[in-house]
């Protein structure tokens, strides 16, 4: 997930530096960033979380880019009473006093995007592909979207769910979708758009600036949010 995390990590470090230089830090104390790299290894996320809270004595963690990494660290934060700011949209169906969920749930992002694809302004899409990488966030969001589409009168024959790497196989499909919804992550961004051709409405769950720059071949409804970076941890220096 480095393609998504690196830019956001750099932005957070820039903001910390700016806050320390202009504002003297937080509550009169300079802020120190402790950066770790779990290397997209989900069990390693839990180990790094414990290391940060117990070893580094951090006060707050900004991190995790996927729901599976968040679910890996959640037991650690609840056990040690740590505080995690989760930086991206998520599938809902989870609530913890140890987590600030800063991104949108499906009813705030995915469903409004699909409603727009179905509207006259967007061409009134009637056939959909729900495309995403194979893990908890796309699976759960697609399940919610399928139920929503059913409620709107769209039948199963007009709804297709695909893993991102299979997107290119749709290029010559005789019933090409009129609306494409991507609840996936970085791996799906690079392959999805070209597979469906120019002018095909595409609703992304996430969209980095780099991805947006490469989207000229197709129209994209991007439900983008600017979250803090994964794998960035903060602690305040103390004289204690």
């Amino acid at each position: 997930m480095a393609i998504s995390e690196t830019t956001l990590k750099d932005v957070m470090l820039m903001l910390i530096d700016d806050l320390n230089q202009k504002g003297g830090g937080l509550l009169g104390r300079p802020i120190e960033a402790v950066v770790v790299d779990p290397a997209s290894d989900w069990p390693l996320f839990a180990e790094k979380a414990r290391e940060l809270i117990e070893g580094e004595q951090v006060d707050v963690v900004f991190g995790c880019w996927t729901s599976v990494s968040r679910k890996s660290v959640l037991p650690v934060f609840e056990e040690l009473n740590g505080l995690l700011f989760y930086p991206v949209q998520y599938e809902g169906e989870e609530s913890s006093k140890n987590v600030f969920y800063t991104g949108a749930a499906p009813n705030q992002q995915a469903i409004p995007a699909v409603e727009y694809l179905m509207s006259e302004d967007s061409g009134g899409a009637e056939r959909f592909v729900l495309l995403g990488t194979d893990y908890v966030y796309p699976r759960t969001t697609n399940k919610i979207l399928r139920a929503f589409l059913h409620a709107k009168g769209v039948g199963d024959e007009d709804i297709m769910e695909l893993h991102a790497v299979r997107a290119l196989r749709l290029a010559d499909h005789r019933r090409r979708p009129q609306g494409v919804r991507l609840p996936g992550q970085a791996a799906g961004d690079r392959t999805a758009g070209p597979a469906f051709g120019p002018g095909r409405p595409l609703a992304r769950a996430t969209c980095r600036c780099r991805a947006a720059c490469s989207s000229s071949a197709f129209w994209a409804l991007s439900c983008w949010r600017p979250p803090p970076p994964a794998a960035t941890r903060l602690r305040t220096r103390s004289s204690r």
Side-chain angles (χ1 to χ4, degrees):
M1 301 311 301
I3 190 173
S4 297
E5 298 167 349
T6 300
T7 302
L8 296 173
K9 171 182 66 68
D10 292 343
V11 170
M12 180 60 79
L13 293 175
M14 179 185 69
L15 292 173
I16 292 171
D17 183 65
D18 185 69
L19 186 59
N20 284 335
Q21 289 189 26
K22 296 181 178 179
L26 180 64
L27 300 177
R29 296 176 179 176
I31 302 173
E32 178 185 352
V34 181
V35 182
V36 298
D37 180 13
S40 297
D41 182 333
W42 315 133
L44 188 57
F45 270 86
E47 294 180 25
K48 292 295 184 181
R50 185 174 296 277
E51 174 187 317
L52 287 166
I53 298 172
E54 290 187 325
E56 296 285 354
Q57 297 291 304
V58 299
D59 298 302
V60 61
V61 175
F62 291 82
C64 301
W65 185 260
T66 63
S67 290
V68 65
S69 60
R70 186 192 71 250
K71 288 184 177 295
S72 295
V73 304
L74 182 60
V76 177
F77 279 90
E78 293 184 333
E79 174 193 344
L80 302 177
N81 198 29
L83 184 60
L84 170 68
F85 278 77
Y86 182 65
V88 264
Q89 77 287 331
Y90 78 120
E91 68 282 355
E93 302 187 357
E94 176 186 299
S95 179
S96 172
K97 68 182 181 65
N98 296 97
V99 181
F100 275 86
Y101 303 89
T102 67
N107 64 305
Q108 299 168 311
Q109 182 192 53
I111 288 178
V114 171
E115 284 181 321
Y116 180 75
L117 291 175
M118 300 177 75
S119 70
E120 291 184 7
D121 290 339
S122 183
E126 298 178 350
R127 299 192 301 274
F128 292 84
V129 165
L130 307 179
L131 182 66
T133 43
D134 188 18
Y135 74 107
V136 61
Y137 171 65
R139 285 181 179 178
T140 306
T141 302
N142 285 344
K143 182 178 180 180
I144 293 170
L145 288 178
R146 181 177 285 273
F148 172 78
L149 290 169
H150 286 167
K152 292 293 185 178
V154 180
D156 282 328
E157 67 276 9
D158 290 321
I159 304 173
M160 184 181 299
E161 293 188 41
L162 287 177
H163 189 283
V165 297
R166 294 182 59 198
L168 293 176
R169 300 179 188 176
L170 288 182
D172 296 318
H173 197 279
R174 64 182 180 87
R175 287 174 56 81
R176 298 181 89 185
Q178 297 170 334
V180 185
R181 162 69 190 173
L182 278 78
Q185 294 289 353
D189 288 354
R190 296 188 297 273
T191 59
F196 301 106
R200 196 68 56 180
L202 175 65
R204 294 175 183 265
T206 59
C207 185
R208 303 169 312 282
C209 293
R210 293 178 185 175
C213 291
S214 64
S215 300
S216 58
F218 56 93
W219 179 82
L221 168 65
S222 174
C223 301
W224 182 79
R225 297 175 66 89
T232 300
R233 280 53 173 176
L234 306 181
R235 66 180 178 185
T236 55
R237 296 193 187 97
S238 173
S239 59
R240 291 174 295 171

